[in-house]
Amino acid sequence: RALARKGKRLMANDSLPGNEGDLPGVSVIVYAKNEEVRIREYINALRRQEYPEFEIIVINDASIDNTAGIVEAMLEEDDRLRFSFVPESSRNVSRRKVAFTIGAKAARYPVLLITAANTEIPSPHWLRRMGAPFADPGVEVVIGTSVYPKERHTGAGRWYRQFDTMSVLSQWLGSALAGEPYRGDAYALAYRKQTFFDHNGFALTNRFVAGEDDIFINTIATPGNTVVALHPQAMLRRVLPADEY
């Protein structure tokens, strides 16, 4: 009940966090694979974020559609937008981790925010919600959230999928709110660039397909250095092809 009350207070607080002059620069690292239908809309949503200093680094993972062509055409529209790709030689490791590592090495700013193009950004204040806590020098990790939009859940298993998603979310998010963070959400996860490289990035977990949101966060997160960004403006919606829901 105490955690529910704390979460409710966070969700209801509409005042924007942080003072404008104290907000650190953020490098948003976007994993993209076969996103030609959505990538332009998604990048434009990022460009509309009301945040003083940030860049967008899109990492293409061997898309077989026109994702790369669309992003390359948009590079001239905004000098905050940058583009790279996961090498074909990265077949035997987690390609998502390789993508995020490439983005981290290219990042110009001290805060890294990892996410993916198959999401919908709920507000022009999403980046502010994720980046503002780093104005406190003691904060090294900010944990965000993403959910599957319930109106897109269809089929006989939709109630199970909704229950499973929310029960898992409540476990790790509730633990983080209680001061014991042990994982995050790879669609909305931020940490300091220095922290990432001080822990050798994903070097210890590259042999695992997953781990960028749980094993790595379990390594770097502590009760004193982690903040939960829990608010409707900070809650991404995951977008999948209809047959994958």
Side-chain angles (χ1 to χ4, degrees):
R1 286 196 298 270
L3 290 175
R5 287 195 296 269
K6 183 175 182 180
K8 188 175 181 179
R9 287 197 302 270
L10 289 171
M11 292 284 281
N13 182 9
D14 285 334
S15 60
L16 291 176
N19 298 315
E20 198 77 15
D22 298 331
L23 300 178
V26 176
S27 295
V28 184
I29 305 172
V30 181
Y31 175 83
K33 185 175 180 67
N34 298 329
E35 295 291 343
E36 69 174 1
V37 174
R38 296 199 67 261
I39 192 66
R40 176 175 289 277
E41 174 189 348
Y42 175 81
I43 291 175
N44 284 334
L46 278 177
R47 292 167 63 187
R48 289 192 294 268
Q49 291 298 296
E50 296 180 8
Y51 196 84
E53 197 169 9
F54 69 98
E55 65 178 346
I56 305 163
I57 306 173
V58 179
I59 309 296
N60 180 40
D61 181 11
S63 296
I64 59 175
D65 61 9
N66 194 36
T67 297
I70 294 171
V71 178
E72 287 173 344
M74 296 182 72
L75 293 177
E76 297 182 1
E77 301 174 11
D78 196 324
D79 59 9
R80 297 174 299 179
L81 179 61
R82 303 167 69 194
F83 183 56
S84 190
F85 62 93
V86 178
E88 274 301 310
S89 58
S90 304
R91 284 191 290 269
N92 297 321
V93 295
S94 168
R95 295 180 66 86
R96 284 179 66 94
K97 290 178 197 163
V98 172
F100 293 139
T101 301
I102 291 170
K105 290 180 177 179
R108 298 169 177 157
Y109 294 119
V111 174
L112 309 177
L113 171 52
I114 67 172
T115 185
N118 61 315
T119 58
E120 291 176 347
I121 299 173
S123 163
H125 302 304
W126 172 66
L127 188 50
R128 176 82 172 252
R129 296 276 176 188
M130 295 296 296
F134 291 101
D136 179 349
V139 172
E140 295 185 56
V141 182
V142 172
I143 296 172
T145 56
S146 66
V147 295
Y148 292 109
K150 62 182 180 180
E151 66 271 15
R152 291 182 183 160
H153 277 262
T154 59
R158 64 178 178 148
W159 303 117
Y160 169 77
R161 290 194 296 273
Q162 289 177 355
F163 174 79
D164 183 62
T165 300
M166 294 307 297
S167 63
V168 172
L169 177 65
S170 67
Q171 289 175 40
W172 63 261
L173 195 58
S175 183
L177 288 171
E180 294 294 337
Y182 66 89
R183 65 160 288 179
D185 185 332
Y187 289 93
L189 190 56
Y191 35 77
R192 294 190 186 274
K193 181 178 179 181
Q194 189 63 49
T195 303
F196 180 79
F197 287 110
D198 283 349
H199 288 81
N200 296 317
F202 304 121
L204 295 178
T205 63
N206 260 345
R207 65 188 185 280
F208 303 131
V209 173
E212 67 272 16
D213 57 357
D214 48 20
I215 300 174
F216 179 67
I217 294 304
N218 193 40
T219 302
I220 67 173
T222 68
N225 75 357
T226 301
V227 170
V228 177
L230 184 60
H231 191 274
Q233 293 177 342
M235 191 173 292
L236 297 178
R237 291 157 55 94
R238 302 186 207 174
V239 180
L240 297 175
D243 59 351
E244 291 187 26
Y245 278 101

